[in-house]
């Protein structure tokens, strides 16, 4: 499999956060920080991708990630193509690689890919031309690297560092690429404590989350936490018979104001979206002053600008 790094160890694709060094993570976060401007001001712009073409290929539903990659590319000066996959030729049976080669012939420089199947971004990395970059925008339950980056950036902006931080991720951990990518980044950045809270049926294989504490009790998980992140039940990745009842789930695992009161008074509440209000998170908690959910979305554009600028710098110096 092609590496996401070039011969000099620089990032040329982004498939997973698993093997990024601490220095590489910090460099991306620092660059993203510089792309964040206050609400009401003009968003940051940079001509780093002027004349380049970015193609968004989302073979799974997306609101935030797709819009945010598109805005990030435009704010870097690129032409952007967001393929409507339901009407594209892949729906007519064209192979994914033929779609990639077709777009590459139109001089696409960056492919942004979301797919329900594991291994698709790495497979495309193996086949694109040497001047083309591939960015993973969500791969099955395994990787969602730009989400992981925006999550740790949001934590760092509020909490300063990671050494003494207690981060709790609660909900459907087993099917979550968001939890996996957050774990990859937090582990490398030296997190104080990572707690994962899930009912037994949605708990992950502990081997996949080395160093994290697995819990099945939300109160214990939230107590004295600095960051509480809630995750949606990812019904699309499980058999219908295994779907938990939403009301039962809320009663046993939902982040309610009472449960949030067990966390540190300055704890922040996060959610990658899309949210199911009053299932994994009470609507009032999502709208509370402790919630940084919309900030995560804003930071996501900055992170994607940072990633695109970084890989283009690797490829074209
Ligand atoms: C997540 C995803 O697609 O993995 N959403 C996102 O990208 N912001 C989480 C989810 O679908 O629950």
């Amino acid at each position: 499999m092609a590496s996401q790094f070039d011969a000099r160890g620089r990032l040329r694709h982004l498939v997973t956060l698993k093997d990024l060094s601490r220095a590489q993570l910090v460099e991306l976060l620092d660059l993203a920080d510089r792309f964040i401007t206050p609400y009401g001001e003009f968003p940051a712009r940079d001509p780093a991708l002027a004349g380049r073409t970015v193609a968004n290929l989302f073979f799974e539903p997306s609101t935030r990630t797709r819009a945010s990659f598109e805005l990030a590319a435009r704010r870097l000066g690129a032409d952007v193509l967001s393929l409507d996959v339901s009407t594209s030729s892949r729906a007519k049976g064209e192979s994914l690689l033929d779609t990639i080669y077709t777009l590459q012939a139109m001089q696409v420089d960056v492919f942004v890919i979301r797919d329900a199947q594991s291994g698709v971004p790495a497979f495309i990395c193996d086949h694109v031309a040497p001047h083309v970059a591939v960015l993973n925008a969500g791969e099955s339950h395994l990787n969602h690297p730009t989400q992981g980056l925006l999550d740790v950036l949001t934590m760092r902006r509020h909490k300063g560092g990671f050494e003494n931080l207690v981060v709790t991720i609660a909900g459907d951990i087993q099917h979550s690429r968001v939890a996996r990518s957050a774990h990859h980044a937090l582990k490398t950045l030296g997190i104080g404590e990572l707690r994962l809270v899930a009912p037994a049926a949605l708990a992950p294989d502990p081997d996949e989350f080395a160093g994290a504490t697995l819990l099945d009790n939300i109160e214990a998980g939230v107590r004295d936490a600095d960051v509480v992140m809630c995750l949606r039940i990812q019904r699309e990745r499980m058999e219908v018979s295994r779907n938990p009842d939403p009301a039962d789930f809320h009663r046993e695992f939902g982040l309610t104001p009472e449960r949030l009161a067990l966390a540190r008074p300055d704890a922040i509440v996060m959610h990658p979206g899309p949210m199911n209000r009053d299932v994994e998170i009470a609507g009032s908690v999502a709208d509370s002053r402790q919630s940084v959910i919309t900030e995560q979305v804003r930071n996501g554009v900055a992170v994607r600008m940072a990633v695109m600028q970084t890989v283009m710098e690797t490829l074209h110096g």
Side-chain angles (χ1 to χ4, degrees):
M1 182 197 116
S3 166
Q4 60 180 350
F5 305 105
D6 75 355
R8 290 168 54 195
R10 299 175 307 175
L11 201 64
R12 70 166 315 304
H13 302 295
L14 181 60
V15 174
T16 177
L17 296 181
K18 219 181 222 165
D19 51 7
L20 261 64
S21 69
R22 191 182 184 125
Q24 280 171 319
L25 289 173
V26 169
E27 202 176 308
L28 285 168
L29 298 181
D30 290 348
L31 183 55
D33 249 333
R34 294 208 290 276
F35 288 131
I36 297 176
T37 58
Y39 290 111
E41 285 186 14
F42 287 115
R45 286 183 193 276
D46 189 290
L49 264 70
R52 304 281 173 201
T53 303
V54 175
N56 272 333
L57 302 181
F58 280 64
F59 298 101
E60 258 195 332
S62 173
T63 305
R64 274 152 289 270
T65 307
R66 178 170 154 170
S68 140
F69 264 111
E70 185 164 334
L71 284 176
R74 287 188 199 283
R75 288 175 188 170
L76 292 173
D79 291 333
V80 184
L81 176 76
S82 285
L83 210 67
D84 185 346
V85 170
S86 59
T87 58
S88 79
S89 287
R90 198 173 170 203
K92 294 189 195 167
E94 181 174 69
S95 82
L96 176 57
L97 268 188
D98 284 329
T99 303
I100 296 289
Y101 292 146
T102 300
L103 293 170
Q104 205 169 255
M106 297 181 202
Q107 293 179 290
V108 164
D109 298 282
V110 181
F111 287 105
V112 179
I113 312 263
R114 168 172 286 197
D115 200 278
Q117 215 182 311
S118 308
V120 165
F123 172 75
I124 296 170
C125 289
D126 280 339
H127 291 90
V128 290
H131 65 278
V132 171
V134 177
L135 305 179
N136 183 352
E139 173 194 10
S140 178
H141 62 293
L142 291 177
N143 287 293
H144 194 349
T146 56
Q147 181 72 42
L149 287 170
L150 79 88
D151 287 336
V152 296
L153 177 65
T154 306
M155 292 177 204
R156 193 178 79 163
R157 286 175 65 85
H158 281 271
K159 300 295 170 191
F162 299 96
E163 305 73 41
N164 301 311
L165 216 59
V166 177
V167 174
T168 301
I169 306 181
D172 180 4
I173 309 284
Q174 191 182 107
H175 300 100
S176 177
R177 54 195 177 203
V178 176
R180 283 175 179 77
S181 284
H183 169 251
H184 296 152
L186 289 171
K187 197 162 167 256
T188 307
L189 291 166
I191 181 73
E193 187 182 352
L194 176 61
R195 300 178 188 161
L196 304 172
V197 184
L202 302 176
D205 175 350
D207 293 345
E208 279 189 272
F209 286 91
T213 312
L214 267 50
L215 298 157
D216 62 1
N217 178 290
I218 182 78
E219 280 86 13
V222 166
R223 188 161 289 122
D224 299 323
D226 298 290
V227 176
V228 184
M229 186 195 294
C230 298
L231 298 175
R232 182 177 69 89
I233 303 167
Q234 288 139 88
R235 296 176 185 281
E236 69 278 20
R237 301 205 182 103
M238 56 184 107
E239 287 164 27
V240 177
S241 62
R242 290 189 54 222
N243 277 348
D245 174 71
D248 289 349
F249 188 86
H250 188 65
R251 201 174 45 252
E252 285 161 38
F253 287 93
L255 187 63
T256 58
E258 297 73 30
R259 286 171 176 154
L260 179 59
L262 299 170
R264 292 188 47 134
D266 61 350
I268 55 169
V269 174
M270 300 176 63
H271 195 305
M275 256 189 294
N276 289 131
R277 284 174 180 260
D278 302 320
V279 183
E280 70 274 11
I281 186 168
S284 62
V285 170
D287 298 332
S288 72
R289 286 181 47 206
Q290 283 169 272
S291 165
V292 298
I293 296 170
T294 53
E295 259 177 67
Q296 287 174 266
V297 177
R298 178 197 55 181
N299 296 348
V301 180
V303 155
R304 286 155 186 140
M305 289 173 77
V307 168
M308 285 195 256
Q309 179 167 327
T310 300
V311 295
M312 275 295 129
E313 179 75 26
T314 302
L315 292 173
H316 302 285

